[in-house]
Amino acid sequence: MKALLALSLLAVSIWQPAQALAADAAAGEQVFRRICSTCHIATAEGRRGVGPTLFGVVGRKSGTVDGFRYSPANQAAGIVWTPEILDKYIANPREVVPGTSMTYAGLRNDADRANVIAYLQTLK
């Protein structure tokens, strides 16, 4: 039984970094187009959506896109959108920023989130 537990723990420790390395920006673009583009754009300029542009979001401070009207919660959050924070936020926006006006309930699929974040990292 101990051997099985040790093997399971080893498999989890090996799988998690491999999953992070396996993120696919092209697949993330497809998820973005299917889910995120309802409210967000992925370009520096373009039509204003319900949500702010996500162009350059990785490394940006929350609530700082010029011309977009953020909720007070997002303006005050003081978050820098790292891949780790984005992962948590995309999974459950209201848990990371209580009071956010983002109505999306969250993307539960780990691989889809990793792929979307890989795609967002290409938007510079």
Side-chain angles (χ1 to χ4, degrees), residues 7-74:
L7 185 57
S8 296
L9 291 174
L10 178 62
V12 167
S13 67
I14 291 170
W15 177 79
Q16 286 177 337
Q19 181 188 25
L21 292 174
D24 180 347
E29 182 177 9
Q30 294 307 309
V31 175
F32 182 92
R33 287 177 188 222
R34 190 176 74 246
I35 296 172
C36 311
S37 68
T38 303
C39 298
H40 299 279
I41 62 172
T43 57
E45 301 293 327
R47 68 161 174 75
R48 288 284 182 197
V50 173
T53 179
L54 296 182
F55 185 87
V57 70
V58 178
R60 184 170 70 209
K61 187 175 176 188
S62 63
T64 60
V65 171
D66 287 338
F68 186 79
R69 197 175 75 182
Y70 288 93
S71 67
N74 270 350

Side-chain angles (χ1 to χ4, degrees), residues 47-111:
R47 68 161 174 75
R48 288 284 182 197
V50 173
T53 179
L54 296 182
F55 185 87
V57 70
V58 178
R60 184 170 70 209
K61 187 175 176 188
S62 63
T64 60
V65 171
D66 287 338
F68 186 79
R69 197 175 75 182
Y70 288 93
S71 67
N74 270 350
Q75 288 176 344
I79 292 171
V80 173
W81 296 116
T82 64
E84 297 78 18
I85 297 293
L86 281 166
D87 183 56
K88 292 175 186 175
Y89 187 77
I90 295 168
N92 190 342
R94 288 182 213 105
E95 185 176 285
V96 175
V97 181
T100 183
S101 58
M102 185 163 159
T103 58
Y104 184 65
L107 182 57
R108 303 290 184 232
N109 184 289
D110 294 341

